[in-house]
Amino acid sequence: MTVTVPSGTENTQCVVKRLGNDTPIKVHQIHNVLPQGSHHLIVYRTDDTEEQPEPFECQPFADTLDPSKGSPLMVTQKHDETLTLPDGVGFALDAGVMIRLEMHYINPTGAPLDVSATSTFVTMPEEEFQHAADFLFVGNPDISIEPNSTFTLGPTFLPMPSDLAGSKFFAVTGHTHQFGTNVTVAVADSEAGADTTIYDVPNWQWDEPATVVLDPPIELAAGAGFRFTCEWNNTSPNTVGFGESANDEMCFFWAYYYPSKGARVCAHTDQVPGGFDLCCPGNPLCDQIF
């Protein structure tokens, strides 16, 4: 996927292509490469029936937040990142699957910039496959950072749906935009339970956030959830809130797990009195939000 980006331009574009597999496959490794100008790349499997090989405008993160429209396989913010799944684990893809690449880019330079992204899938032998992997996206949109100030959101505890009990999480990546200075994630058996830290990266960088591989994977007990915190230093003269632009902010982490119960997006907000948790799909309110 290659796009020529005019100076000072920010946008998100997608392509949709058929992977070309005549039979079902199990993907054990994904290697994504992003050049200068790319903010992030999301790789989806989709139910689309027609290829769109020429880049077209699309909504950033939209289908990550609505698993009924697109099931993310991997999100990359680093310029070169490889995700290798545990032994016996793979993303299970149907024959003839359609793949969408979503690239969010920004060109801060004074000249046009060619921005491209590639995603390479490595399969595993069928006889080695034991468990299908999937994707979890977790966040808190309650962001309001005053000009020229620091801000911490959290710790936020978010319990996971009951059907994720017993799930094994094997990799985690924290996500903010340009003013982010840190993301930490822990698991706890309950809101009052003790934390087990699973993501705390020294000298964390928002534009090259590390993916922490959990070996052995962390298994969730019934009623357990994640507790996460995001920190920022807003060096701009403007109040910064939640949004999809690189000039807005986010507080998210994504995690990879098995055995698959489907892709999920979960969020907590205190904008509703008493606080409100939501995981989609699986809640009737999902249709009203997405």
Side-chain angles (χ1 to χ4, degrees), residues 34-264:
L34 308 178
Q36 178 187 4
S38 294
H39 182 257
H40 69 250
L41 173 71
I42 305 179
V43 182
Y44 301 88
R45 54 184 158 193
T46 79
D47 293 330
D48 294 359
T49 57
E50 294 185 8
E51 291 187 299
Q52 298 184 68
E54 295 301 320
F56 61 93
E57 293 195 11
C58 54
Q59 189 75 10
F61 278 104
D63 287 350
T64 302
L65 302 178
D66 184 358
S68 68
K69 294 181 180 178
S71 177
L73 295 174
M74 183 177 177
V75 181
T76 294
Q77 198 168 348
K78 298 182 71 173
H79 291 298
D80 191 317
E81 183 169 33
T82 299
L83 175 69
T84 301
L85 282 63
D87 291 346
V89 178
F91 293 112
L93 303 184
D94 294 334
V97 67
M98 301 286 276
I99 299 296
R100 181 167 70 252
L101 301 184
E102 172 192 306
M103 184 168 63
H104 181 185
Y105 55 78
I106 185 167
N107 179 7
T109 72
L113 184 67
D114 285 339
V115 178
S116 63
T118 64
S119 183
T120 303
F121 291 9
V122 178
T123 60
M124 63 189 298
E126 188 69 32
E127 62 270 18
E128 295 180 8
F129 175 74
Q130 299 176 24
H131 302 288
D134 230 308
F135 183 91
L136 175 72
F137 202 67
V138 177
N140 186 334
D142 297 351
I143 302 169
S144 181
I145 314 170
E146 296 295 322
N148 300 302
S149 66
T150 59
F151 180 68
T152 298
L153 179 61
T156 299
F157 179 76
L158 189 58
M160 291 293 101
S162 59
D163 66 339
L164 289 183
S167 296
K168 296 177 173 60
F169 290 83
F170 61 88
V172 181
T173 308
H175 174 73
T176 70
H177 291 173
Q178 62 179 319
F179 299 118
T181 57
N182 201 18
V183 176
T184 59
V185 183
V187 293
D189 287 342
S190 65
E191 186 168 7
D195 288 350
T196 299
T197 299
I198 60 172
Y199 190 86
D200 188 3
V201 178
N203 302 312
W204 185 85
Q205 295 178 282
W206 75 271
D207 56 345
E208 287 278 323
T211 295
V212 171
V213 175
L214 306 173
D215 187 12
I218 294 293
E219 182 172 338
L220 286 189
F226 293 96
R227 200 182 326 268
F228 59 100
T229 300
C230 296
E231 301 174 37
W232 297 270
N233 180 18
N234 179 9
T235 56
S236 79
N238 305 310
T239 298
V240 175
F242 175 81
E244 297 161 345
S245 167
N247 294 316
D248 299 319
E249 273 301 340
M250 285 188 170
C251 175
F252 282 107
F253 70 89
W254 52 80
Y256 305 92
Y257 79 96
Y258 70 92
S260 170
K261 300 293 185 179
R264 301 289 178 85

